[in-house]
Amino acid sequence: MTDDPGVSGAPADEPAVILQRGLYFEEIQEGVVYAHRPGRTVTETDNVLFTTLTMNTQALHLDAAWSAGQPFGQRLVNSMFTLATVVGQSVPQLTQGTIVAQLGLGDVSFPHPLFHGDTLYTETVVTEKRLSGSRPGQGVVTMRHTGRNQDGVVVALATRSCLMWTKEAHETHASS
């Protein structure tokens, strides 16, 4: 066996298996910038589909002619799509398979709109982490997500709290 995260030992005649996963509670570092790549170029189809699936009939997302006469001169990407994508971009690097539950979102803002054809890039800074007092083997991690367009303009900010596994507790839970 190896001490590398995500690597399992294997017999000499078989390759080691590297499992893609997020970070365990003890691997997450406060104050570090986690840059999530690749970015996500948002299309008109993304916006219209998400908007209609969620029954949001806001003309700013659906009506090109009407939106052309509004302050931004074009349709805006649904801010809930932007938020969901910002959170989603962090999953492979931080929480894939290591999260117990999302506890909440707060301080959400959209300082600049996202438009069709923009590429969204997300960075996350862990602002706080602590072991849970009521759930042994788990910890609460608070992170600040920042979404930027291809020009570096901030289009979304959100604080998110998650309940995360410690590695030992997760391995024990998985084997029981």
Side-chain angles (χ1 to χ4, degrees):
M1 292 293 262
T2 178
D3 291 331
D4 290 342
V7 178
S8 68
D13 60 341
E14 295 181 28
V17 175
I18 299 175
L19 176 67
Q20 181 176 334
R21 64 163 172 82
L23 301 175
Y24 285 107
F25 176 81
E26 58 272 32
E27 296 172 324
I28 291 175
Q29 299 177 42
E30 288 184 55
V32 170
V33 175
Y34 294 93
H36 312 299
R37 300 297 184 267
R40 172 67 157 80
T41 301
V42 179
T43 68
E44 177 181 14
T45 300
D46 295 327
N47 190 41
V48 171
L49 182 60
F50 183 89
T51 297
T52 56
L53 281 173
T54 57
M55 298 182 67
N56 180 341
T57 59
Q58 176 53 253
L60 273 173
H61 307 313
L62 296 173
D63 188 330
W66 183 82
S67 296
Q70 298 307 303
F72 291 104
Q74 61 181 305
R75 287 173 290 168
L76 309 181
V77 171
N78 186 314
S79 58
M80 295 296 98
F81 178 87
T82 303
L83 177 62
T85 305
V86 163
V87 169
Q89 285 180 311
S90 74
V91 169
Q93 191 172 15
L94 296 177
T95 63
Q96 179 66 50
T98 56
I99 189 173
V100 177
Q102 179 165 280
L103 300 176
L105 290 163
D107 301 320
V108 176
S109 64
F110 304 99
H112 188 274
L114 195 64
F115 301 110
H116 300 156
D118 281 351
T119 301
L120 181 60
Y121 295 95
T122 299
E123 295 176 347
T124 301
V125 175
V126 173
T127 59
E128 181 182 359
K129 67 181 239 183
R130 64 174 176 78
L131 287 169
S132 172
S134 61
R135 298 184 64 96
Q138 299 172 5
V140 177
V141 176
T142 303
M143 41 190 104
R144 182 74 172 159
H145 299 298
T146 302
R148 301 175 194 276
N149 68 14
Q150 66 281 353
D151 299 320
V153 176
V154 175
V155 297
L157 296 163
T159 300
R160 178 176 172 224
S161 294
C162 297
L163 189 62
M164 304 290 296
W165 284 106
T166 63
K167 184 175 184 180
E168 182 180 351
H170 194 218
E171 288 173 348
T172 301
H173 175 79
S175 66
S176 57

